[in-house]
Amino acid sequence: MTTVIGKKEIPVIIVALLSLLMIVPFFINAPALNSMSTEVQRMLVPIAGFALILGGLNVTLRNITKISKRSKDWQFSIVLLATFVFFLVVSLIPSPFFENLYTMAYVTVLGKVNEAVMALIAVFMATMAYRGFKIKNFETLLFTLSCLVVMIANAPIGEAVWAGAPGARNWIMDYPNMAGMRALNIGIALGIMAYGVRTMMGHERIALGDIEIKVKKE
Amino acid sequence: MKLETLLKIDSRWIFLAFLLAVAIPIIRPIGLPLKISENTKQVYDAVESVPDGGIVVLTPDFSYDNTGELLPMLETFLNHLFTKNIKVVSVSYYGAASPLLMETAMKSVGLETYGKEYGVDFVNLGYIAGDETAVAAFGADVHALVKVDHYGTPISELTIMENLRSAEDIDLEISLSAGMNYPELYLRQWQTTFGTKVTGGSVGLIYAPLIPYISSGQLLGYLPSMRGAAEYELLSRKPASAIVGMDSQSLVHLVFIAAIILCNIGVLGSYLKPEGGEDET
């Protein structure tokens, strides 16, 4: 038996069976299979929750190691760990005061920092527009013209600048853009299907944690 | 002035133009016209077509970095939904602050403004970990997956949850997201399997990749960025923060267009120089 089903085949069989359990109810209306599939999906949600805990532990351990070894930029690790511990402690204590403190810290500190960083991106996009859209050949001409048309049409003032802008934008979005996006989406879907079938058949060894192959590729 | 000098404009002038384009209309609104697109009308009609007493699931899958574009959208959807007899269930599959953002939006909109009651007309189920698996599990059996709401109240005590057993009971899913994978999740797991109608809105960046889904009729329209929210505010006759930003958005777009044109006049100038070649900036 062990020669037929070895250490590497068991995970492949588990993956294949669970994958089929997820896929088959899409195509066949079998109540027993449906309920089994739902039950497995429900079981996976707490596992995802545990993955978050595992991620938190991993971040903590890596940053403690970084601080103890005085690695490059170790000071940032102190800030990270302090923030991590603060939010963890505050969110775990069931009290209205700590709930408010958590919300206030998140909204007024992290929320505002996030918004500021996003706003900075918009400012740098302005200089990118100036430096990046230089027409040097036919391709950059097409690229710049299509960007200009979409930009004019998307601006609320666009129609006042050029009445034909929305029509031209719609043509760009509905034909070249949609054709490209459809091709990409279908290509990605076929790729995912192929990857899924290969994983179920055990050909994707990396997905099963085959370190040897990983090392060779690196 | 030599045309090629336009290739050497100091970035700080562009930053200044950007600042003025954002600030002036906020201080002194211009009131530029705004045309409502067919796409926005489609989203509005999708909400209008929800039957009396129907259930809408609202999924804010975004974080604070996208509040500029998506918070006005969330608020305008809530304002429209609460004017009708519709049950609104909020749930998020994106962990970074989405339930908090829903709280922020609810403070701004106010349940009491519309005479609605928490647990009867609205519920915030918070964040559910597990991404696509969680979406699939929610769609298959809500009560098996979710036991309490965001505040720890058992959902068995909330009357709004009595009629929401699976995605079959959802009359409309409104997805607000900063990543295109989220509307795709709902299309794959709820629409394909249960026939749930899906609409929503996103940041401008991911709107273009979603156009094939609108064209195929899978998405019942989709609001692109703050402009979509502003058009929706106009349609639902509840002008709010998105419309305020439209003048700024118009002027900022003009700054971008002017920057592109100036740079290319400079490029043309460098080609027209007798010795040829382009100055590197």
Side-chain angles (χ1 to χ4, degrees):
Chain A
M1 186 70 179
T2 48
T3 52
V4 181
I5 303 175
K7 203 168 64 177
K8 286 185 177 179
E9 280 71 27
I10 291 171
V12 174
I13 293 167
I14 293 171
V15 167
L17 286 176
L18 283 174
S19 304
L20 286 172
L21 191 61
M22 295 291 115
I23 295 165
V24 173
F26 266 95
F27 302 99
I28 299 167
N29 189 16
L33 265 181
N34 285 354
S35 62
M36 271 174 76
S37 168
T38 307
E39 192 58 31
V40 171
Q41 283 167 2
R42 205 175 59 78
M43 282 159 59
L44 288 173
V45 174
I47 293 173
F50 278 110
L52 290 177
I53 297 171
L54 201 65
L57 280 173
N58 189 32
V59 166
T60 310
L61 288 176
R62 282 182 77 93
N63 282 283
I64 287 173
T65 314
K66 205 171 168 182
I67 294 165
S68 62
K69 287 183 179 174
R70 297 286 192 271
S71 306
K72 190 171 177 271
D73 298 332
W74 61 274
Q75 297 90 340
F76 294 125
S77 295
I78 296 177
V79 178
L80 188 146
L81 283 179
T83 314
F84 186 80
V85 171
F86 170 78
F87 276 106
L88 190 70
V89 171
V90 166
S91 62
L92 286 177
I93 301 173
S95 131
F97 171 77
F98 284 106
E99 277 171 23
N100 288 336
L101 186 65
Y102 177 89
T103 308
M104 193 196 74
Y106 203 102
V107 175
T108 57
V109 181
L110 195 62
K112 298 303 164 195
V113 169
N114 273 347
E115 287 175 22
V117 170
M118 206 62 180
L120 270 179
I121 293 172
V123 175
F124 284 112
M125 274 169 69
T127 50
M128 189 282 292
Y130 172 68
R131 296 182 190 285
F133 286 94
K134 288 176 185 166
I135 300 171
K136 293 174 178 173
N137 49 39
F138 183 65
E139 285 84 356
T140 50
L141 173 74
L142 282 182
F143 179 65
T144 307
L145 283 180
S146 55
C147 284
L148 274 173
V149 169
V150 173
M151 225 182 273
I152 292 170
N154 280 352
I157 199 175
E159 247 181 297
V161 175
W162 174 33
R169 186 264 321 263
N170 289 348
W171 184 85
I172 291 171
M173 298 302 249
D174 291 347
Y175 292 95
N177 166 69
M178 194 154 68
M181 286 316 305
R182 274 184 180 162
L184 264 176
N185 284 344
I186 291 167
I188 290 168
L190 290 174
I192 291 171
M193 280 165 65
Y195 184 80
V197 171
R198 281 180 61 79
T199 307
M200 282 164 66
M201 293 174 76
H203 294 311
E204 286 294 333
R205 313 299 300 190
I206 296 172
L208 299 168
D210 198 330
I211 306 297
E212 267 180 49
I213 297 172
K214 256 188 192 173
V215 172
K216 272 180 197 170
K217 284 203 168 179
E218 279 165 6
Chain B
M1 189 183 82
K2 288 178 182 174
L3 287 178
E4 61 266 29
T5 54
L6 290 174
L7 282 169
K8 294 174 183 169
I9 296 173
D10 194 320
S11 296
R12 284 171 292 187
W13 289 111
I14 297 170
F15 293 152
L16 181 65
F18 189 96
L19 175 71
L20 293 174
V22 173
I24 290 172
I26 290 173
I27 298 165
R28 202 180 176 84
I30 305 165
L32 295 166
L34 182 67
K35 196 180 170 189
I36 296 163
S37 66
E38 280 303 315
N39 184 34
T40 306
K41 281 181 196 158
Q42 211 183 340
V43 178
Y44 183 84
D45 290 343
V47 175
E48 281 288 307
S49 68
V50 175
D52 202 46
I55 296 173
V56 168
V57 171
L58 193 54
T59 50
D61 299 309
F62 62 97
S63 183
Y64 276 91
D65 39 1
N66 299 108
T67 48
E69 286 184 275
L70 295 177
L71 197 56
M73 207 180 274
L74 179 58
E75 288 172 0
T76 191
F77 270 122
L78 287 170
N79 276 317
H80 186 198
L81 290 165
F82 288 150
T83 56
K84 300 167 74 64
N85 180 25
I86 291 175
K87 312 290 178 196
V88 182
V89 176
S90 169
V91 60
S92 175
Y93 301 94
Y94 181 66
S98 300
L100 288 179
L101 280 164
M102 181 48 89
E103 282 184 351
T104 309
M106 287 306 295
K107 272 181 193 160
S108 164
V109 173
L111 271 176
E112 63 286 351
T113 316
Y114 296 92
K116 302 281 180 181
E117 197 183 330
Y118 185 85
V120 178
D121 304 294
F122 172 79
V123 66
N124 184 359
L125 296 180
Y127 164 65
I128 303 175
D131 219 44
E132 187 150 4
T133 313
V135 175
F138 187 95
D141 190 343
V142 178
H143 287 255
L145 178 73
V146 187
K147 297 297 175 196
V148 292
D149 73 351
H150 183 53
Y151 309 100
T153 312
I155 65 164
S156 54
E157 294 175 12
L158 303 167
T159 51
I160 189 174
M161 296 303 290
E162 282 172 10
N163 294 326
L164 178 59
R165 296 280 159 186
S166 73
E168 270 178 16
D169 303 321
I170 301 170
D171 293 291
L172 184 67
E173 147 63 13
I174 299 177
S175 163
L176 297 176
S177 71
M180 72 173 281
N181 55 324
Y182 285 98
E184 284 181 336
L185 289 189
Y186 305 118
L187 289 177
R188 277 198 296 265
Q189 299 298 338
W190 293 358
Q191 190 182 70
T192 311
T193 318
F194 302 99
T196 310
K197 292 175 183 170
V198 181
T199 187
S202 68
V203 294
L205 193 68
I206 65 155
Y207 176 69
L210 292 172
I211 288 175
Y213 297 111
I214 301 170
S215 158
S216 66
Q218 288 168 282
L219 282 174
L220 301 175
Y222 214 68
L223 300 183
S225 78
M226 197 160 69
R227 179 174 176 173
E231 290 177 11
Y232 200 94
E233 284 178 3
L234 274 183
L235 262 179
S236 51
R237 295 184 186 84
K238 184 90 181 173
S241 55
I243 287 194
V244 175
M246 282 302 96
D247 286 346
S248 290
Q249 202 175 67
S250 278
L251 291 192
V252 167
H253 273 78
L254 290 181
V255 168
F256 275 50
I257 292 162
I260 293 171
I261 292 170
L262 282 178
C263 144
N264 281 294
I265 292 173
V267 171
L268 185 69
S270 69
Y271 286 143
L272 294 176
K273 270 201 316 188
E275 59 272 24
E278 183 200 325
D279 289 346
E280 286 301 319
T281 53

